[in-house]
Amino acid sequence: MNALVEFRQVCYRIGARDILRDLTLEVEEGETLVLLGRSGSGKTTALRMVNGMLFPTSGEVRVEGRPTTAWDPVRLKRRIGYVIQEIGLFPHYTVEQNVGLVPRLEGWDPARIRKRAGELLTRVGLEPEQFLPRYPRQLSGGQRQRVGVARALAADPPLLLFDEPFGAVDPVTRTELQRQFRALGRDLAKTSLFVTHDVREALMLATRIALLHDGRLETLAAPGEFLRSGSGEAQAFLAGLDWRQETAG
Amino acid sequence: MSGLSGELLDLTLEHLLLVLVSLAIAIAIALPAGVLLTRRPGWRVWLLGFANVMQTIPSLALFGFLIPVPLIGGIGKRTAIVALVLYALLPILRNTLAGILGVDPAVRESAVAMGMTGRQLLWRVEMPLAARTILAGVRIATVTTIGTATIAAAIGGGGLGVFIFRGIASVDTKQILAGAIPAAFMALGADAVLGWFERKFSPA
């Protein structure tokens, strides 16, 4: 197995506060590794270190075997797709321009970009003719999130980062998006690193779950093992799952 | 009467020239300075403070203060332009800063994460999204400059203020109005034109 991303004894400190403590973790090619944790557990920080939005205080993060500090920052980011909860679609660009952004920055010719944008919209379940000319404000939350995923896939990056991408949509749409995400992951055989605080989502999407607690890696396990984990934090998350099923509408 | 209307045309053009030159210089300074301030938060207090202080000096006093200043001072158009530029800086600077800082952080975050260079972020994302706010600043600066430029005549800067000051000196209401009315129309016209642009440039 080949590690596409490696965290090696990564620490991250802001002032006197440790956000990440000695994180060592490998993301294998083709897998969907879910970083699960409470708010403030350091999961987003870890994610942002992969594409060089942040750099470790000590230790290193390697992508394709090379430390992120040794990559050209722009090259590194263009090789990695990135989807955040707020999506961050460009409001002054149409869906086509949003999806085609990285290809355009990479200098693809317009006909190829257009074709690619159409293909990707179809992939994420949006009718190209109908949606390519629209602006983000003309889309629903779920549609925006789909466009965000299509945009991250545009230049066919080997690695995708997701930061609670489905956190802001309604529960029904979320389940739909999660299903589609899982199917998409199988189709495209991409490597994904996925941040969430939703244990149900983690269990559904992950090949492995890395549970972070106070900046430390608490448990690293496949979903089946995770369910049987004796770790206190894992139990706390799983208890949340029961509670959710009892009361959530 | 033909003397007055000939002079009216000359002074109106002179006024317009004063305003346009001052605004061009003010934009050339304040726009890049505003962009710089979005990158250097530490400088904001100083530069905005300077622009603020300039704005608080009564305009007639500012014109007066500049007369003894070497190089940029003296009697005439140059001094007038310096004063008008100092006045126009603040609204443009402030709105450039506000426009760019007002861009949704998630949009900026994803632009950076998608591998845009600093320059691409500025020109493809921040400037288009801030355009409307920046133009609003230019519009405010333009309208106030047209008004303030009438005082330029006090230090020999010319423009429609010549009529006004002459009218005041000779208690001649017709002369005062000959300066004030065209200046008012110029301000209204500029406001309308720039307002149209502002709507035109509004992002999506």
Side-chain angles (χ1 to χ4, degrees), chain A residues 48 53 74 77-78 82 86 88-93 101-102 105 135 137 151, chain B residues 106-107 109-117 120 124-125 128-129 203-204:
Chain A
R48 289 165 57 91
M53 302 287 277
V74 167
K77 292 182 179 77
R78 289 199 195 158
Y82 188 64
E86 304 81 9
L89 292 182
F90 302 114
H92 57 310
Y93 284 175
L101 182 75
V102 177
L105 295 177
Y135 282 93
R137 71 189 143 86
R151 183 174 67 172
Chain B
V107 168
E109 160 116 352
S110 57
V112 172
M114 291 172 83
M116 280 201 184
T117 61
Q120 287 165 338
R124 298 193 187 200
V125 177
L129 292 175

PDB file of all heavy atoms in Angstrom, chain A residues 48 53 74 77-78 82 86 88-93 101-102 105 135 137 151, chain B residues 106-107 109-117 120 124-125 128-129 203-204:
ATOM      1  N   ARG A  48      -6.125  21.214   6.881  1.00  0.00           N
ATOM      2  CA  ARG A  48      -5.550  22.393   6.206  1.00  0.00           C
ATOM      3  C   ARG A  48      -4.033  22.305   6.061  1.00  0.00           C
ATOM      4  O   ARG A  48      -3.440  23.089   5.320  1.00  0.00           O
ATOM      5  CB  ARG A  48      -5.938  23.679   6.949  1.00  0.00           C
ATOM      6  CG  ARG A  48      -7.430  24.026   6.771  1.00  0.00           C
ATOM      7  CD  ARG A  48      -7.881  25.058   7.782  1.00  0.00           C
ATOM      8  NE  ARG A  48      -7.105  26.269   7.724  1.00  0.00           N
ATOM      9  CZ  ARG A  48      -7.411  27.320   6.982  1.00  0.00           C
ATOM     10  NH1 ARG A  48      -8.486  27.305   6.235  1.00  0.00           N
ATOM     11  NH2 ARG A  48      -6.642  28.385   6.994  1.00  0.00           N
ATOM     12  N   MET A  53      -2.333  25.068   3.526  1.00  0.00           N
ATOM     13  CA  MET A  53      -2.966  26.276   4.041  1.00  0.00           C
ATOM     14  C   MET A  53      -2.336  26.614   5.397  1.00  0.00           C
ATOM     15  O   MET A  53      -2.343  27.747   5.840  1.00  0.00           O
ATOM     16  CB  MET A  53      -4.474  26.086   4.211  1.00  0.00           C
ATOM     17  CG  MET A  53      -5.223  25.707   2.941  1.00  0.00           C
ATOM     18  SD  MET A  53      -5.395  27.045   1.767  1.00  0.00           S
ATOM     19  CE  MET A  53      -6.833  27.880   2.437  1.00  0.00           C
ATOM     20  N   VAL A  74       1.414  26.819  -4.851  1.00  0.00           N
ATOM     21  CA  VAL A  74       0.328  26.858  -5.828  1.00  0.00           C
ATOM     22  C   VAL A  74       0.145  25.493  -6.493  1.00  0.00           C
ATOM     23  O   VAL A  74      -0.977  24.991  -6.621  1.00  0.00           O
ATOM     24  CB  VAL A  74       0.574  27.979  -6.866  1.00  0.00           C
ATOM     25  CG1 VAL A  74      -0.356  27.843  -8.050  1.00  0.00           C
ATOM     26  CG2 VAL A  74       0.414  29.343  -6.211  1.00  0.00           C
ATOM     27  N   LYS A  77      -1.631  23.034  -4.116  1.00  0.00           N
ATOM     28  CA  LYS A  77      -3.061  23.274  -3.956  1.00  0.00           C
ATOM     29  C   LYS A  77      -3.840  22.863  -5.196  1.00  0.00           C
ATOM     30  O   LYS A  77      -4.960  22.376  -5.099  1.00  0.00           O
ATOM     31  CB  LYS A  77      -3.306  24.750  -3.630  1.00  0.00           C
ATOM     32  CG  LYS A  77      -2.786  25.120  -2.250  1.00  0.00           C
ATOM     33  CD  LYS A  77      -3.079  26.565  -1.928  1.00  0.00           C
ATOM     34  CE  LYS A  77      -2.584  26.937  -0.546  1.00  0.00           C
ATOM     35  NZ  LYS A  77      -1.127  27.134  -0.503  1.00  0.00           N
ATOM     36  N   ARG A  78      -3.242  23.058  -6.367  1.00  0.00           N
ATOM     37  CA  ARG A  78      -3.975  22.696  -7.588  1.00  0.00           C
ATOM     38  C   ARG A  78      -4.044  21.188  -7.793  1.00  0.00           C
ATOM     39  O   ARG A  78      -4.844  20.704  -8.577  1.00  0.00           O
ATOM     40  CB  ARG A  78      -3.330  23.366  -8.799  1.00  0.00           C
ATOM     41  CG  ARG A  78      -3.582  24.853  -8.777  1.00  0.00           C
ATOM     42  CD  ARG A  78      -3.381  25.513 -10.104  1.00  0.00           C
ATOM     43  NE  ARG A  78      -3.308  26.956  -9.904  1.00  0.00           N
ATOM     44  CZ  ARG A  78      -2.748  27.793 -10.733  1.00  0.00           C
ATOM     45  NH1 ARG A  78      -2.206  27.348 -11.849  1.00  0.00           N
ATOM     46  NH2 ARG A  78      -2.727  29.082 -10.471  1.00  0.00           N
ATOM     47  N   TYR A  82     -10.668  20.622  -2.875  1.00  0.00           N
ATOM     48  CA  TYR A  82     -10.964  21.091  -1.531  1.00  0.00           C
ATOM     49  C   TYR A  82     -12.419  21.534  -1.468  1.00  0.00           C
ATOM     50  O   TYR A  82     -12.854  22.363  -2.265  1.00  0.00           O
ATOM     51  CB  TYR A  82     -10.024  22.263  -1.242  1.00  0.00           C
ATOM     52  CG  TYR A  82     -10.007  22.798   0.178  1.00  0.00           C
ATOM     53  CD1 TYR A  82      -9.574  22.015   1.230  1.00  0.00           C
ATOM     54  CD2 TYR A  82     -10.376  24.114   0.431  1.00  0.00           C
ATOM     55  CE1 TYR A  82      -9.518  22.536   2.514  1.00  0.00           C
ATOM     56  CE2 TYR A  82     -10.320  24.643   1.711  1.00  0.00           C
ATOM     57  CZ  TYR A  82      -9.888  23.840   2.754  1.00  0.00           C
ATOM     58  OH  TYR A  82      -9.820  24.357   4.009  1.00  0.00           O
ATOM     59  N   GLU A  86     -18.899  25.938   3.899  1.00  0.00           N
ATOM     60  CA  GLU A  86     -19.473  27.175   3.349  1.00  0.00           C
ATOM     61  C   GLU A  86     -19.375  27.201   1.834  1.00  0.00           C
ATOM     62  O   GLU A  86     -19.790  28.161   1.193  1.00  0.00           O
ATOM     63  CB  GLU A  86     -18.763  28.394   3.929  1.00  0.00           C
ATOM     64  CG  GLU A  86     -18.768  28.479   5.447  1.00  0.00           C
ATOM     65  CD  GLU A  86     -17.706  27.607   6.098  1.00  0.00           C
ATOM     66  OE1 GLU A  86     -16.844  27.060   5.363  1.00  0.00           O
ATOM     67  OE2 GLU A  86     -17.735  27.438   7.334  1.00  0.00           O
ATOM     68  N   GLY A  88     -18.026  28.308  -0.611  1.00  0.00           N
ATOM     69  CA  GLY A  88     -17.190  29.353  -1.192  1.00  0.00           C
ATOM     70  C   GLY A  88     -17.225  29.376  -2.705  1.00  0.00           C
ATOM     71  O   GLY A  88     -16.215  29.590  -3.358  1.00  0.00           O
ATOM     72  N   LEU A  89     -18.407  29.155  -3.281  1.00  0.00           N
ATOM     73  CA  LEU A  89     -18.523  29.353  -4.735  1.00  0.00           C
ATOM     74  C   LEU A  89     -18.331  30.835  -5.022  1.00  0.00           C
ATOM     75  O   LEU A  89     -18.708  31.679  -4.215  1.00  0.00           O
ATOM     76  CB  LEU A  89     -19.894  28.911  -5.235  1.00  0.00           C
ATOM     77  CG  LEU A  89     -20.204  27.417  -5.172  1.00  0.00           C
ATOM     78  CD1 LEU A  89     -21.594  27.159  -5.753  1.00  0.00           C
ATOM     79  CD2 LEU A  89     -19.164  26.598  -5.914  1.00  0.00           C
ATOM     80  N   PHE A  90     -17.757  31.152  -6.181  1.00  0.00           N
ATOM     81  CA  PHE A  90     -17.540  32.552  -6.525  1.00  0.00           C
ATOM     82  C   PHE A  90     -18.853  33.153  -7.012  1.00  0.00           C
ATOM     83  O   PHE A  90     -19.374  32.731  -8.035  1.00  0.00           O
ATOM     84  CB  PHE A  90     -16.448  32.672  -7.590  1.00  0.00           C
ATOM     85  CG  PHE A  90     -15.151  32.061  -7.136  1.00  0.00           C
ATOM     86  CD1 PHE A  90     -14.637  30.941  -7.759  1.00  0.00           C
ATOM     87  CD2 PHE A  90     -14.478  32.586  -6.047  1.00  0.00           C
ATOM     88  CE1 PHE A  90     -13.454  30.362  -7.310  1.00  0.00           C
ATOM     89  CE2 PHE A  90     -13.298  32.012  -5.590  1.00  0.00           C
ATOM     90  CZ  PHE A  90     -12.790  30.905  -6.227  1.00  0.00           C
ATOM     91  N   PRO A  91     -19.392  34.120  -6.283  1.00  0.00           N
ATOM     92  CA  PRO A  91     -20.740  34.607  -6.607  1.00  0.00           C
ATOM     93  C   PRO A  91     -20.811  35.321  -7.963  1.00  0.00           C
ATOM     94  O   PRO A  91     -21.881  35.427  -8.539  1.00  0.00           O
ATOM     95  CB  PRO A  91     -21.057  35.585  -5.463  1.00  0.00           C
ATOM     96  CG  PRO A  91     -19.757  35.901  -4.820  1.00  0.00           C
ATOM     97  CD  PRO A  91     -18.841  34.744  -5.081  1.00  0.00           C
ATOM     98  N   HIS A  92     -19.658  35.816  -8.449  1.00  0.00           N
ATOM     99  CA  HIS A  92     -19.680  36.543  -9.718  1.00  0.00           C
ATOM    100  C   HIS A  92     -19.389  35.631 -10.901  1.00  0.00           C
ATOM    101  O   HIS A  92     -19.273  36.101 -12.028  1.00  0.00           O
ATOM    102  CB  HIS A  92     -18.692  37.708  -9.691  1.00  0.00           C
ATOM    103  CG  HIS A  92     -17.271  37.288  -9.390  1.00  0.00           C
ATOM    104  ND1 HIS A  92     -16.949  36.481  -8.328  1.00  0.00           N
ATOM    105  CD2 HIS A  92     -16.114  37.572 -10.009  1.00  0.00           C
ATOM    106  CE1 HIS A  92     -15.633  36.291  -8.302  1.00  0.00           C
ATOM    107  NE2 HIS A  92     -15.107  36.940  -9.316  1.00  0.00           N
ATOM    108  N   TYR A  93     -19.251  34.330 -10.652  1.00  0.00           N
ATOM    109  CA  TYR A  93     -19.013  33.374 -11.734  1.00  0.00           C
ATOM    110  C   TYR A  93     -20.229  32.475 -11.885  1.00  0.00           C
ATOM    111  O   TYR A  93     -20.878  32.133 -10.903  1.00  0.00           O
ATOM    112  CB  TYR A  93     -17.823  32.479 -11.402  1.00  0.00           C
ATOM    113  CG  TYR A  93     -16.447  33.088 -11.555  1.00  0.00           C
ATOM    114  CD1 TYR A  93     -15.323  32.367 -11.167  1.00  0.00           C
ATOM    115  CD2 TYR A  93     -16.266  34.356 -12.096  1.00  0.00           C
ATOM    116  CE1 TYR A  93     -14.041  32.899 -11.306  1.00  0.00           C
ATOM    117  CE2 TYR A  93     -14.997  34.886 -12.230  1.00  0.00           C
ATOM    118  CZ  TYR A  93     -13.889  34.159 -11.831  1.00  0.00           C
ATOM    119  OH  TYR A  93     -12.626  34.667 -11.961  1.00  0.00           O
ATOM    120  N   LEU A 101     -12.771  26.597 -12.943  1.00  0.00           N
ATOM    121  CA  LEU A 101     -11.737  27.540 -12.486  1.00  0.00           C
ATOM    122  C   LEU A 101     -10.324  26.967 -12.520  1.00  0.00           C
ATOM    123  O   LEU A 101      -9.428  27.549 -13.138  1.00  0.00           O
ATOM    124  CB  LEU A 101     -12.049  28.061 -11.078  1.00  0.00           C
ATOM    125  CG  LEU A 101     -10.975  29.068 -10.653  1.00  0.00           C
ATOM    126  CD1 LEU A 101     -11.166  30.391 -11.362  1.00  0.00           C
ATOM    127  CD2 LEU A 101     -10.937  29.270  -9.165  1.00  0.00           C
ATOM    128  N   VAL A 102     -10.115  25.851 -11.867  1.00  0.00           N
ATOM    129  CA  VAL A 102      -8.749  25.313 -11.830  1.00  0.00           C
ATOM    130  C   VAL A 102      -8.262  24.935 -13.239  1.00  0.00           C
ATOM    131  O   VAL A 102      -7.148  25.308 -13.625  1.00  0.00           O
ATOM    132  CB  VAL A 102      -8.613  24.149 -10.828  1.00  0.00           C
ATOM    133  CG1 VAL A 102      -7.208  23.567 -10.857  1.00  0.00           C
ATOM    134  CG2 VAL A 102      -8.917  24.632  -9.429  1.00  0.00           C
ATOM    135  N   LEU A 105      -7.172  28.088 -14.756  1.00  0.00           N
ATOM    136  CA  LEU A 105      -5.881  28.530 -14.212  1.00  0.00           C
ATOM    137  C   LEU A 105      -4.745  27.681 -14.788  1.00  0.00           C
ATOM    138  O   LEU A 105      -3.626  28.148 -14.975  1.00  0.00           O
ATOM    139  CB  LEU A 105      -5.860  28.420 -12.677  1.00  0.00           C
ATOM    140  CG  LEU A 105      -6.813  29.321 -11.901  1.00  0.00           C
ATOM    141  CD1 LEU A 105      -6.720  29.027 -10.407  1.00  0.00           C
ATOM    142  CD2 LEU A 105      -6.520  30.783 -12.154  1.00  0.00           C
ATOM    143  N   TYR A 135     -26.006  31.271 -11.836  1.00  0.00           N
ATOM    144  CA  TYR A 135     -25.123  31.835 -10.819  1.00  0.00           C
ATOM    145  C   TYR A 135     -25.411  31.146  -9.480  1.00  0.00           C
ATOM    146  O   TYR A 135     -26.531  30.678  -9.253  1.00  0.00           O
ATOM    147  CB  TYR A 135     -25.346  33.350 -10.697  1.00  0.00           C
ATOM    148  CG  TYR A 135     -24.680  34.115 -11.810  1.00  0.00           C
ATOM    149  CD1 TYR A 135     -25.380  34.443 -12.971  1.00  0.00           C
ATOM    150  CD2 TYR A 135     -23.336  34.479 -11.715  1.00  0.00           C
ATOM    151  CE1 TYR A 135     -24.756  35.128 -14.008  1.00  0.00           C
ATOM    152  CE2 TYR A 135     -22.703  35.163 -12.738  1.00  0.00           C
ATOM    153  CZ  TYR A 135     -23.417  35.488 -13.894  1.00  0.00           C
ATOM    154  OH  TYR A 135     -22.794  36.142 -14.906  1.00  0.00           O
ATOM    155  N   ARG A 137     -26.229  32.159  -6.634  1.00  0.00           N
ATOM    156  CA  ARG A 137     -27.403  32.592  -5.871  1.00  0.00           C
ATOM    157  C   ARG A 137     -28.696  32.001  -6.429  1.00  0.00           C
ATOM    158  O   ARG A 137     -29.738  32.070  -5.773  1.00  0.00           O
ATOM    159  CB  ARG A 137     -27.476  34.123  -5.858  1.00  0.00           C
ATOM    160  CG  ARG A 137     -27.839  34.740  -7.176  1.00  0.00           C
ATOM    161  CD  ARG A 137     -27.698  36.252  -7.198  1.00  0.00           C
ATOM    162  NE  ARG A 137     -27.198  36.689  -8.500  1.00  0.00           N
ATOM    163  CZ  ARG A 137     -27.968  36.937  -9.554  1.00  0.00           C
ATOM    164  NH1 ARG A 137     -29.261  36.839  -9.456  1.00  0.00           N
ATOM    165  NH2 ARG A 137     -27.433  37.294 -10.701  1.00  0.00           N
ATOM    166  N   ARG A 151     -16.528  21.226  -8.611  1.00  0.00           N
ATOM    167  CA  ARG A 151     -15.400  22.149  -8.772  1.00  0.00           C
ATOM    168  C   ARG A 151     -14.108  21.527  -8.232  1.00  0.00           C
ATOM    169  O   ARG A 151     -13.055  21.653  -8.828  1.00  0.00           O
ATOM    170  CB  ARG A 151     -15.696  23.467  -8.047  1.00  0.00           C
ATOM    171  CG  ARG A 151     -14.615  24.498  -8.230  1.00  0.00           C
ATOM    172  CD  ARG A 151     -14.985  25.828  -7.625  1.00  0.00           C
ATOM    173  NE  ARG A 151     -15.065  25.755  -6.170  1.00  0.00           N
ATOM    174  CZ  ARG A 151     -15.217  26.831  -5.387  1.00  0.00           C
ATOM    175  NH1 ARG A 151     -15.330  28.028  -5.941  1.00  0.00           N
ATOM    176  NH2 ARG A 151     -15.285  26.704  -4.101  1.00  0.00           N
TER     177      ARG A 151
ATOM    178  N   ALA B 106     -15.145  32.607   3.078  1.00  0.00           N
ATOM    179  CA  ALA B 106     -15.178  31.271   2.477  1.00  0.00           C
ATOM    180  C   ALA B 106     -14.781  31.336   1.003  1.00  0.00           C
ATOM    181  O   ALA B 106     -14.135  30.427   0.476  1.00  0.00           O
ATOM    182  CB  ALA B 106     -16.568  30.656   2.616  1.00  0.00           C
ATOM    183  N   VAL B 107     -15.156  32.430   0.338  1.00  0.00           N
ATOM    184  CA  VAL B 107     -14.800  32.597  -1.071  1.00  0.00           C
ATOM    185  C   VAL B 107     -13.282  32.782  -1.195  1.00  0.00           C
ATOM    186  O   VAL B 107     -12.631  32.169  -2.036  1.00  0.00           O
ATOM    187  CB  VAL B 107     -15.547  33.804  -1.677  1.00  0.00           C
ATOM    188  CG1 VAL B 107     -14.984  34.161  -3.036  1.00  0.00           C
ATOM    189  CG2 VAL B 107     -17.024  33.486  -1.786  1.00  0.00           C
ATOM    190  N   GLU B 109     -11.049  31.813   1.021  1.00  0.00           N
ATOM    191  CA  GLU B 109     -10.441  30.553   1.417  1.00  0.00           C
ATOM    192  C   GLU B 109     -10.426  29.562   0.251  1.00  0.00           C
ATOM    193  O   GLU B 109      -9.416  28.936  -0.028  1.00  0.00           O
ATOM    194  CB  GLU B 109     -11.221  29.951   2.602  1.00  0.00           C
ATOM    195  CG  GLU B 109     -10.991  28.465   2.795  1.00  0.00           C
ATOM    196  CD  GLU B 109     -10.317  28.122   4.112  1.00  0.00           C
ATOM    197  OE1 GLU B 109      -9.889  29.063   4.803  1.00  0.00           O
ATOM    198  OE2 GLU B 109     -10.200  26.934   4.415  1.00  0.00           O
ATOM    199  N   SER B 110     -11.558  29.454  -0.450  1.00  0.00           N
ATOM    200  CA  SER B 110     -11.547  28.459  -1.521  1.00  0.00           C
ATOM    201  C   SER B 110     -10.707  28.933  -2.706  1.00  0.00           C
ATOM    202  O   SER B 110     -10.087  28.119  -3.371  1.00  0.00           O
ATOM    203  CB  SER B 110     -12.956  28.020  -1.933  1.00  0.00           C
ATOM    204  OG  SER B 110     -13.720  29.113  -2.317  1.00  0.00           O
ATOM    205  N   ALA B 111     -10.628  30.240  -2.916  1.00  0.00           N
ATOM    206  CA  ALA B 111      -9.753  30.741  -3.993  1.00  0.00           C
ATOM    207  C   ALA B 111      -8.301  30.363  -3.712  1.00  0.00           C
ATOM    208  O   ALA B 111      -7.591  29.884  -4.593  1.00  0.00           O
ATOM    209  CB  ALA B 111      -9.900  32.251  -4.135  1.00  0.00           C
ATOM    210  N   VAL B 112      -7.887  30.576  -2.473  1.00  0.00           N
ATOM    211  CA  VAL B 112      -6.506  30.242  -2.106  1.00  0.00           C
ATOM    212  C   VAL B 112      -6.295  28.734  -2.185  1.00  0.00           C
ATOM    213  O   VAL B 112      -5.313  28.256  -2.740  1.00  0.00           O
ATOM    214  CB  VAL B 112      -6.181  30.755  -0.681  1.00  0.00           C
ATOM    215  CG1 VAL B 112      -4.827  30.247  -0.224  1.00  0.00           C
ATOM    216  CG2 VAL B 112      -6.219  32.274  -0.650  1.00  0.00           C
ATOM    217  N   ALA B 113      -7.276  27.988  -1.657  1.00  0.00           N
ATOM    218  CA  ALA B 113      -7.135  26.533  -1.635  1.00  0.00           C
ATOM    219  C   ALA B 113      -7.145  25.931  -3.031  1.00  0.00           C
ATOM    220  O   ALA B 113      -6.669  24.827  -3.244  1.00  0.00           O
ATOM    221  CB  ALA B 113      -8.238  25.905  -0.795  1.00  0.00           C
ATOM    222  N   MET B 114      -7.713  26.656  -3.997  1.00  0.00           N
ATOM    223  CA  MET B 114      -7.722  26.137  -5.360  1.00  0.00           C
ATOM    224  C   MET B 114      -6.447  26.503  -6.098  1.00  0.00           C
ATOM    225  O   MET B 114      -6.296  26.204  -7.280  1.00  0.00           O
ATOM    226  CB  MET B 114      -8.937  26.666  -6.112  1.00  0.00           C
ATOM    227  CG  MET B 114     -10.220  26.060  -5.568  1.00  0.00           C
ATOM    228  SD  MET B 114     -11.653  26.823  -6.281  1.00  0.00           S
ATOM    229  CE  MET B 114     -11.747  25.909  -7.793  1.00  0.00           C
ATOM    230  N   GLY B 115      -5.554  27.156  -5.405  1.00  0.00           N
ATOM    231  CA  GLY B 115      -4.260  27.439  -6.013  1.00  0.00           C
ATOM    232  C   GLY B 115      -4.220  28.730  -6.816  1.00  0.00           C
ATOM    233  O   GLY B 115      -3.489  28.836  -7.793  1.00  0.00           O
ATOM    234  N   MET B 116      -5.021  29.714  -6.411  1.00  0.00           N
ATOM    235  CA  MET B 116      -4.877  31.025  -7.041  1.00  0.00           C
ATOM    236  C   MET B 116      -3.656  31.704  -6.424  1.00  0.00           C
ATOM    237  O   MET B 116      -3.426  31.616  -5.222  1.00  0.00           O
ATOM    238  CB  MET B 116      -6.101  31.888  -6.760  1.00  0.00           C
ATOM    239  CG  MET B 116      -7.268  31.577  -7.643  1.00  0.00           C
ATOM    240  SD  MET B 116      -8.386  33.000  -7.682  1.00  0.00           S
ATOM    241  CE  MET B 116      -9.702  32.327  -8.670  1.00  0.00           C
ATOM    242  N   THR B 117      -2.911  32.405  -7.255  1.00  0.00           N
ATOM    243  CA  THR B 117      -1.803  33.191  -6.725  1.00  0.00           C
ATOM    244  C   THR B 117      -2.389  34.458  -6.104  1.00  0.00           C
ATOM    245  O   THR B 117      -3.565  34.768  -6.315  1.00  0.00           O
ATOM    246  CB  THR B 117      -0.847  33.604  -7.849  1.00  0.00           C
ATOM    247  OG1 THR B 117      -1.577  34.399  -8.789  1.00  0.00           O
ATOM    248  CG2 THR B 117      -0.281  32.381  -8.563  1.00  0.00           C
ATOM    249  N   GLN B 120      -3.928  36.607  -8.729  1.00  0.00           N
ATOM    250  CA  GLN B 120      -5.196  36.098  -9.267  1.00  0.00           C
ATOM    251  C   GLN B 120      -6.329  36.304  -8.270  1.00  0.00           C
ATOM    252  O   GLN B 120      -7.433  36.665  -8.656  1.00  0.00           O
ATOM    253  CB  GLN B 120      -5.052  34.603  -9.597  1.00  0.00           C
ATOM    254  CG  GLN B 120      -4.211  34.364 -10.835  1.00  0.00           C
ATOM    255  CD  GLN B 120      -3.762  32.921 -10.971  1.00  0.00           C
ATOM    256  OE1 GLN B 120      -3.717  32.169 -10.001  1.00  0.00           O
ATOM    257  NE2 GLN B 120      -3.411  32.530 -12.187  1.00  0.00           N
ATOM    258  N   ARG B 124      -9.141  38.474  -9.902  1.00  0.00           N
ATOM    259  CA  ARG B 124     -10.270  37.671 -10.374  1.00  0.00           C
ATOM    260  C   ARG B 124     -11.370  37.550  -9.342  1.00  0.00           C
ATOM    261  O   ARG B 124     -12.489  37.221  -9.678  1.00  0.00           O
ATOM    262  CB  ARG B 124      -9.785  36.273 -10.745  1.00  0.00           C
ATOM    263  CG  ARG B 124      -8.790  36.308 -11.865  1.00  0.00           C
ATOM    264  CD  ARG B 124      -8.591  34.918 -12.383  1.00  0.00           C
ATOM    265  NE  ARG B 124      -7.506  34.903 -13.346  1.00  0.00           N
ATOM    266  CZ  ARG B 124      -7.344  33.942 -14.229  1.00  0.00           C
ATOM    267  NH1 ARG B 124      -8.175  32.931 -14.263  1.00  0.00           N
ATOM    268  NH2 ARG B 124      -6.357  33.984 -15.071  1.00  0.00           N
ATOM    269  N   VAL B 125     -11.011  37.745  -8.090  1.00  0.00           N
ATOM    270  CA  VAL B 125     -12.025  37.533  -7.060  1.00  0.00           C
ATOM    271  C   VAL B 125     -12.292  38.807  -6.256  1.00  0.00           C
ATOM    272  O   VAL B 125     -13.408  39.320  -6.238  1.00  0.00           O
ATOM    273  CB  VAL B 125     -11.609  36.380  -6.108  1.00  0.00           C
ATOM    274  CG1 VAL B 125     -12.635  36.204  -5.003  1.00  0.00           C
ATOM    275  CG2 VAL B 125     -11.446  35.081  -6.895  1.00  0.00           C
ATOM    276  N   PRO B 128     -13.324  42.224  -8.511  1.00  0.00           N
ATOM    277  CA  PRO B 128     -14.686  42.191  -9.058  1.00  0.00           C
ATOM    278  C   PRO B 128     -15.762  42.234  -7.969  1.00  0.00           C
ATOM    279  O   PRO B 128     -16.781  42.900  -8.136  1.00  0.00           O
ATOM    280  CB  PRO B 128     -14.750  40.864  -9.812  1.00  0.00           C
ATOM    281  CG  PRO B 128     -13.347  40.455 -10.042  1.00  0.00           C
ATOM    282  CD  PRO B 128     -12.511  41.086  -8.975  1.00  0.00           C
ATOM    283  N   LEU B 129     -15.514  41.553  -6.871  1.00  0.00           N
ATOM    284  CA  LEU B 129     -16.532  41.519  -5.821  1.00  0.00           C
ATOM    285  C   LEU B 129     -16.576  42.830  -5.031  1.00  0.00           C
ATOM    286  O   LEU B 129     -17.593  43.187  -4.461  1.00  0.00           O
ATOM    287  CB  LEU B 129     -16.304  40.331  -4.882  1.00  0.00           C
ATOM    288  CG  LEU B 129     -16.547  38.959  -5.529  1.00  0.00           C
ATOM    289  CD1 LEU B 129     -16.191  37.836  -4.571  1.00  0.00           C
ATOM    290  CD2 LEU B 129     -18.003  38.823  -5.972  1.00  0.00           C
ATOM    291  N   PRO B 203     -21.570  42.885  -8.595  1.00  0.00           N
ATOM    292  CA  PRO B 203     -21.276  41.477  -8.862  1.00  0.00           C
ATOM    293  C   PRO B 203     -22.554  40.667  -8.899  1.00  0.00           C
ATOM    294  O   PRO B 203     -23.361  40.759  -7.986  1.00  0.00           O
ATOM    295  CB  PRO B 203     -20.392  41.058  -7.680  1.00  0.00           C
ATOM    296  CG  PRO B 203     -20.698  42.029  -6.589  1.00  0.00           C
ATOM    297  CD  PRO B 203     -21.154  43.296  -7.244  1.00  0.00           C
ATOM    298  N   ALA B 204     -22.694  39.921  -9.939  1.00  0.00           N
ATOM    299  CA  ALA B 204     -23.790  38.975 -10.152  1.00  0.00           C
ATOM    300  C   ALA B 204     -25.128  39.411  -9.588  1.00  0.00           C
ATOM    301  O   ALA B 204     -25.357  39.375  -8.420  1.00  0.00           O
ATOM    302  CB  ALA B 204     -23.444  37.606  -9.609  1.00  0.00           C
TER     303      ALA B 204
END
